[in-house]
Amino acid sequence: MNASTSMVPQADLGASYRAQKDAIDAAVARVLASGWYILGQEGKAFEDEFAAWLSVGDAPAMQAVGCANGTDAIALILRGLGIGPGCSVVTVSHTAVATVAAIEMVGATPLLVDIDPKTFCMDPAELEAVLSSPPPGLAPIRAAIPVHIYGHACDMDAILRNCQEHGVAVIEDVAQAHGGRLNGRMLGTMGDAAAFSLYPTKNLGALGDAGITATPDAQLAKRMGAIRQYGWHQRYISDEAGVNSRLDEMQAAILRVRLPLLDAGNERRRAVAEAYDTALANGPYAAPHRAAGVEHVFHQYVVRVPEREAVMERLRLQGVATAIHYPVPVHEQAAYRGRIALGPSGCAETSRAATEVMSLPVFPEITDVQVDQVCAALRGL
Ligand SMILES: *Cc1c(COP(=O)(O)O)cnc(C)c1O
């Protein structure tokens, strides 16, 4: 890196606030002046706008219920479906620890299956294997949580077919894929319910913690709306046990500013991805795979690099910051190692991916100059 080039960050949350400053400041001021700070009209409006944004094309009419974060969104869906102690839930080990933490939060037992090494998403064959012959002694499997990792859709046709055959609910983890599509269908509208994190780094992010659930099932939405606030079906009256996981008005108002900008942000991410594809084209490393019918939203642009440490250092010297999502699979973390049931492969592809994945800079506000700087560095690999 010579003196005139500066570092291209891997993500830049401040840039996105600065680009939207006037609208966000006005939204925050509106909430501050309103005198109402939690579960009010901003939250309700955001839920309705988010549900309407999802309910396009062939999608069923969705209902959305806001909550405190993406982990809680998964837990809220599990509670809403009556899944807890005595139930197992299948998901992947190649994900944010949050996905697995949510399963244990409700007292259910996680079962982790391997990924397709090309898409990094749940391998439907592994899912089918554990549904057909569950590990001995495991509690009955009640749900599967496919994770649309990095913004790439899971093979939902196969996953839905497998789960329907075995009477297992499907909960989409869409924390990294807001606005992504599969064969024209919005991610988060294909399963029984979907969980979205609205953490600041996500494609749709608040300026604090937030999350939202979506479902076509009005009864489930109503139940989740009660469970997120002490099980209240009406004020101070709990018909069932709940939790406290509310979306605050400040975050909801900020998210209402950002939701209409999401599709353009995803377009920009895709354009950046195409520039990186071209820069990588004749080099040793393959561009991220896109399965047929997938409209990727590039929450991360991930390249497999066996000699990762050396390549990250070479990129750093040329002013390109990179990150690893994620360096240690969930089943190899100290908190989980040795006590979580795995699919037939023992998550072998997951373990290999964790040693090779490298995420390049991608965020909507990245400048053309920054993209060119990354591309020049990639062409030199
Ligand atoms: C971020 C994330 C979550 C958790 O969201 P939080 O808002 O941090 O609780 C869950 N799953 C995946 C795949 C994520 O990336």
Side-chain angles (χ1 to χ4, degrees):
M1 183 162 63
N2 66 44
S4 65
T5 36
S6 54
M7 202 73 186
V8 181
Q10 205 270 328
D12 189 346
L13 303 184
S16 106
Y17 167 65
R18 285 189 298 276
Q20 304 154 357
K21 184 176 186 313
D22 291 347
I24 288 177
D25 290 359
V28 169
R30 184 174 74 230
V31 173
L32 289 175
S34 76
W36 192 287
Y37 304 110
I38 289 183
L39 291 189
Q41 60 186 32
E42 297 287 345
K44 182 74 183 91
F46 175 63
E47 288 171 344
D48 290 347
E49 288 158 13
F50 189 83
W53 167 80
L54 268 179
S55 307
V56 294
D58 293 341
M62 303 293 290
Q63 294 193 19
V65 177
C67 61
N69 56 67
T71 312
D72 279 3
I74 299 171
L76 199 53
I77 294 167
L78 291 168
R79 289 185 206 279
L81 291 171
I83 295 171
C87 307
S88 295
V89 177
V90 185
T91 190
V92 286
S93 182
H94 188 73
T95 183
V97 168
T99 316
V100 181
I103 296 169
E104 293 202 328
M105 264 171 65
V106 304
T109 303
L111 165 56
L112 304 180
V113 296
D114 214 352
I115 52 167
D116 171 339
K118 290 217 294 286
T119 64
F120 302 106
C121 291
M122 179 182 276
D123 177 354
E126 281 253 324
L127 173 64
E128 173 53 22
V130 297
L131 292 177
S132 301
S133 51
L138 196 81
I141 297 170
R142 296 280 315 281
I145 309 181
V147 180
H148 304 302
I149 196 95
Y150 307 144
H152 185 288
C154 295
D155 181 351
M156 290 306 291
D157 289 341
I159 290 169
L160 289 166
R161 191 174 346 104
N162 291 339
C163 287
Q164 265 151 22
E165 254 166 45
H166 294 273
V168 164
V170 176
I171 300 166
E172 294 176 74
D173 181 340
V174 205
Q176 302 193 5
H178 318 63
R181 290 175 187 245
L182 177 61
N183 298 318
R185 298 167 73 191
M186 289 287 267
L187 302 187
T189 65
M190 289 175 266
D192 295 276
F196 296 79
S197 169
L198 304 167
Y199 183 74
T201 59
K202 311 291 178 168
N203 291 36
L204 176 62
L207 293 174
D209 270 315
I212 196 163
T213 61
T215 178
D217 178 343
Q219 278 306 110
L220 176 60
K222 192 169 173 218
R223 189 163 184 212
M224 293 194 296
I227 294 171
R228 74 171 163 184
Q229 182 165 233
Y230 322 127
W232 285 356
H233 287 264
Q234 65 187 80
R235 202 164 181 80
Y236 308 128
I237 307 297
S238 298
D239 295 334
E240 64 181 315
V243 299
N244 176 359
S245 181
R246 296 176 294 219
L247 174 62
D248 72 75
E249 292 284 279
M250 200 92 76
Q251 300 308 331
I254 292 166
L255 289 159
R256 292 182 69 199
V257 171
R258 289 184 158 180
L259 180 61
L261 306 173
L262 174 58
D263 291 337
N266 285 341
E267 268 310 314
R268 175 64 179 158
R269 288 172 184 270
R270 271 193 288 271
V272 172
E274 276 166 31
Y276 294 170
D277 289 351
T278 306
L280 287 169
N282 299 310
Y285 306 114
H289 178 78
R290 283 78 135 179
V294 169
E295 199 171 306
H296 205 311
V297 289
F298 291 101
H299 174 62
Q300 298 297 347
Y301 184 100
V302 174
V303 182
R304 291 188 85 119
V305 181
E307 46 292 294
R308 181 170 64 192
E309 303 315 314
V311 170
M312 286 177 78
E313 178 59 11
R314 278 166 65 193
L315 289 172
R316 195 186 65 78
L317 291 173
Q318 290 171 84
V320 176
T322 53
I324 301 172
H325 301 98
Y326 297 93
V328 183
V330 177
H331 73 281
E332 292 178 13
Q333 302 263 355
Y336 300 94
R337 198 171 45 222
R339 67 174 186 85
I340 304 284
L342 304 179
S345 82
C347 289
E349 289 294 350
T350 298
S351 295
R352 194 164 68 86
T355 67
E356 296 185 355
V357 289
M358 178 185 80
S359 307
L360 292 172
V362 60
F363 50 97
E365 297 76 21
I366 193 169
T367 66
D368 290 344
V369 171
Q370 289 175 315
V371 172
D372 289 347
Q373 188 177 328
V374 177
C375 288
L378 294 178
R379 279 191 295 268
L381 290 179

